[in-house]
């Protein structure tokens, strides 16, 4: 069975005045429902469908409680590495807002030169915030790919082996094809079975991500 590489999409920050910090998307998400619209029977009973076609929900891999432990721990590790940058950016965001409010309140009665000085400070702070935010975003994405890339390689290989072992000739990603599935029985969902087998054969280590360089 031919499998395609799974790619993690992560965002460290989102745009606001310039860039607002946020955690990586996907961490702690709740697994999306199966194509049948109800909780998967396969994921709770551990059954594999007799059909040669199966569904798997890759969004569930990052579920904090029932997902792939190595993947969840890896993303958390990278989040911890970048926590100081996130805190710094949040502090800059607060200063930007405070300075903006101060200018708006005092401008009508303040000396124009003093107001301009504050405006210059605000403009510089925004530029610094934008630059640091973009640098942090790029560094975060690079680091995340370095850490989770090998894990997704293992997931891809394991999916291939899983399909061969269980006689599955076609495996569809329910997280990607969505509305294209008109009807499917819950028994076709092998997400829970695969995650349990992967976690068993690829146990998570105490610390997946090392210190940021």
């Amino acid at each position: 069975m031919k499998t395609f590489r799974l790619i993690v999409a992560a965002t460290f920050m989102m745009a606001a005045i310039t860039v607002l910090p946020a955690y990586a998307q996907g961490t702690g998400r709740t697994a999306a429902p199966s194509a049948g619209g109800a909780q998967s029977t396969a994921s709770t009973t551990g059954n594999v469908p007799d059909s040669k076609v199966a569904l798997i929900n890759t969004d569930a891999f990052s579920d904090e409680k029932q997902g792939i432990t190595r993947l969840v721990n890896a993303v958390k590790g990278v989040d911890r590495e970048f926590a100081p940058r996130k805190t710094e950016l949040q502090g800059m965001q607060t200063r930007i807002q405070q300075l903006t409010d101060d200018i708006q309140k005092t401008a009508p009665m303040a000396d124009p030169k003093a107001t301009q000085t504050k405006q210059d400070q605000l403009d510089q702070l925004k530029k610094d915030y934008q630059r640091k935010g973009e640098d942090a975003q790029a560094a975060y994405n690079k680091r995340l790919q370095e850490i989770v890339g090998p894990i997704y390689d293992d997931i891809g290989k394991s999916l291939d082996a899983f399909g061969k072992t269980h006689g599955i000739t076609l495996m569809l990603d329910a997280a990607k094809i969505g509305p294209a599935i008109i009807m499917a029985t819950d028994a076709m969902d092998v997400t829970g079975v695969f995650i349990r087998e992967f976690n068993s054969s690829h146990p998570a280590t105490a610390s997946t991500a090392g210190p940021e360089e």
Side-chain angles (χ1 to χ4, degrees), residues 71-88:
L71 180 61
V72 172
N73 288 352
V75 175
K76 285 183 177 179
V78 177
D79 283 346
R80 287 193 298 269
E81 288 183 31
F82 282 81
R85 290 202 193 188
K86 179 182 177 182
T87 300
E88 180 186 11

Side-chain angles (χ1 to χ4, degrees), residues 133-166:
E134 291 175 350
D135 289 347
Q137 178 71 72
Y140 180 89
N141 289 342
K142 180 176 182 293
R143 181 60 170 159
L144 189 66
Q145 291 298 331
E146 290 173 351
I147 295 298
V148 304
I151 299 175
Y152 272 107
D153 285 341
D154 286 343
I155 291 174
K157 294 175 184 177
S158 296
L159 279 171
D160 186 59
F162 179 86
K164 292 176 180 177
T165 298
H166 295 287

